[in-house]
Amino acid sequence: MIIGVPATSANLGPGFDALGLALSLRNRFHVQRAEREEILDCEVGCDGADNLFLVAARRAAGLVGRELPSLRVRFEASVPVARGLGSSATLIIGGILAARELLGPEGAEVLDEGAVLDLAASIEGHPDNTTPAFLGGFAVSVLEGGRTVAIRKALGTGLAFSALVPPFPLETSVARAVLPATVPFADAAANAGRAALVTAAFLSGDWDMLGMAMRDRLHEPWRAPLIPGFEEMKEGARRAGALAVWLSGAGPTVLAASHGGDAAFARRMDALCATMGPRPWRHLLLEADDAGATVIA
Ligand code: HSE
């Protein structure tokens, strides 16, 4: 079978660990039963039994009370690793869906939509990448007593998303370690209001609200120093006419939204990335992905 899972951008400014959307860039996993377990064509060092795809598949099988056969999984990976575009969520959702498919009717019954969302979020620790990676579109999701509570909406083609991807990685664990244990009440209040506004803008299609609504005071200020060039890219994208600019997930990628089909803005993003000197950033021009994860058996 071939499982496709989209890249995702989480947080969307003020919606830390809750807001996310799926992007038109996907990892594909070619899965076969095999004599012995094998992971092919993944990044160096991730081909062991602790690969997140296999870990998630085994956890899913455990929920069903069954064991999986040995699998050969060939990665056809397009989502950059450790860049804040949800590559680990693609492995987690991919592994769970592989198990669900292999375990037949029993797998389908136990691993219904809610169980997939709950398990994926419990492996990742937060649901903001895994929910849109599975369901596609824009998603608000929170953890409540171990369950993932989510609302999602298809986004259509009104927006384009320019992912400005730096040439260096940033591990999520490092980007979470710099966050403060507590924040001033005023910052929390500002974020709550703006997260509500971002959500309302995505649900209503009022894109002109996004730029102001995306201003974050909880995580971006702490993470910016870890990302050389972050402020220049953010400012450059704003000056070039972006509707909104934010740090994608834990970073280091910067996401800029523009009206769908604005070719002139896309060219300005190409030019902006090229200004970053001897190790230029990469511009991936994307759309929303409303399909979510797909399985071709
Ligand atoms: N909400 C998460 C974070 C996304 O910002 O740490 C990264 O996986």
Side-chain angles (χ1 to χ4, degrees):
M1 77 184 103
I2 304 170
I3 300 171
V5 190
T8 44
S9 181
N11 297 330
L12 308 184
F16 185 74
D17 275 2
L19 304 185
L21 56 82
L23 295 164
S24 58
L25 175 73
R26 41 183 60 218
N27 281 345
R28 288 194 175 76
F29 306 103
H30 301 254
V31 185
Q32 277 180 301
R33 290 166 203 270
E35 292 287 301
R36 61 184 182 87
E37 204 118 83
E38 243 183 329
I39 298 271
L40 303 171
D41 297 344
C42 76
E43 297 250 318
V44 180
C46 86
D47 51 359
D50 58 349
N51 179 283
L52 209 43
F53 185 100
L54 295 177
V55 168
R58 277 192 221 104
R59 288 272 300 269
L63 279 186
V64 183
R66 299 257 305 272
E67 291 220 349
L68 285 179
S70 297
L71 300 179
R72 177 186 299 123
V73 186
R74 184 167 66 76
F75 282 39
E76 191 188 333
S78 305
V79 182
V81 175
R83 296 296 196 283
L85 289 169
S87 79
S88 60
T90 73
L91 301 186
I92 293 169
I93 295 292
I96 295 172
L97 294 185
R100 179 164 88 171
E101 208 55 39
L102 288 163
L103 298 174
E106 221 183 324
E109 194 190 321
V110 176
L111 295 166
D112 62 7
E113 183 177 299
V116 172
L117 291 177
D118 294 347
L119 176 59
S122 84
I123 295 172
E124 178 114 295
H126 40 84
D128 47 342
N129 291 105
T130 48
T131 299
F134 180 40
L135 300 178
F138 162 77
V140 185
S141 38
V142 297
L143 296 178
E144 179 67 34
R147 308 299 308 265
T148 300
V149 182
I151 292 181
R152 64 79 75 177
K153 183 179 184 278
L155 286 180
T157 53
L159 289 177
F161 299 95
S162 286
L164 311 175
V165 187
F168 50 85
L170 176 58
E171 293 298 336
T172 299
S173 53
V174 173
R176 287 180 90 86
V178 298
L179 301 178
T182 59
V183 295
F185 188 85
D187 290 346
N191 260 58
R194 281 168 181 72
L197 204 53
V198 170
T199 303
F202 275 111
L203 296 183
S204 66
D206 193 344
W207 309 135
D208 293 332
M209 280 286 165
L210 279 181
M212 188 276 280
M214 287 265 184
R215 263 180 239 147
D216 165 71
R217 286 160 66 169
L218 288 190
H219 69 106
E220 289 192 14
W222 307 94
R223 290 169 163 174
L226 303 177
I227 306 166
F230 173 70
E231 299 295 355
E232 291 95 307
M233 295 305 264
K234 206 169 163 180
E235 196 39 45
R238 271 208 201 107
R239 271 204 314 267
L243 291 170
V245 191
W246 66 96
L247 181 65
S248 187
T253 291
V254 173
L255 246 288
S258 59
H259 289 293
D262 186 346
F265 178 78
R267 281 195 298 275
R268 290 196 285 276
M269 291 304 92
D270 286 337
L272 178 63
C273 284
T275 61
M276 293 307 282
R279 297 179 69 210
W281 291 36
R282 205 151 57 101
H283 173 210
L284 304 175
L285 181 60
L286 307 170
E287 295 177 350
D289 174 297
D290 286 331
T294 50
V295 180
I296 303 169

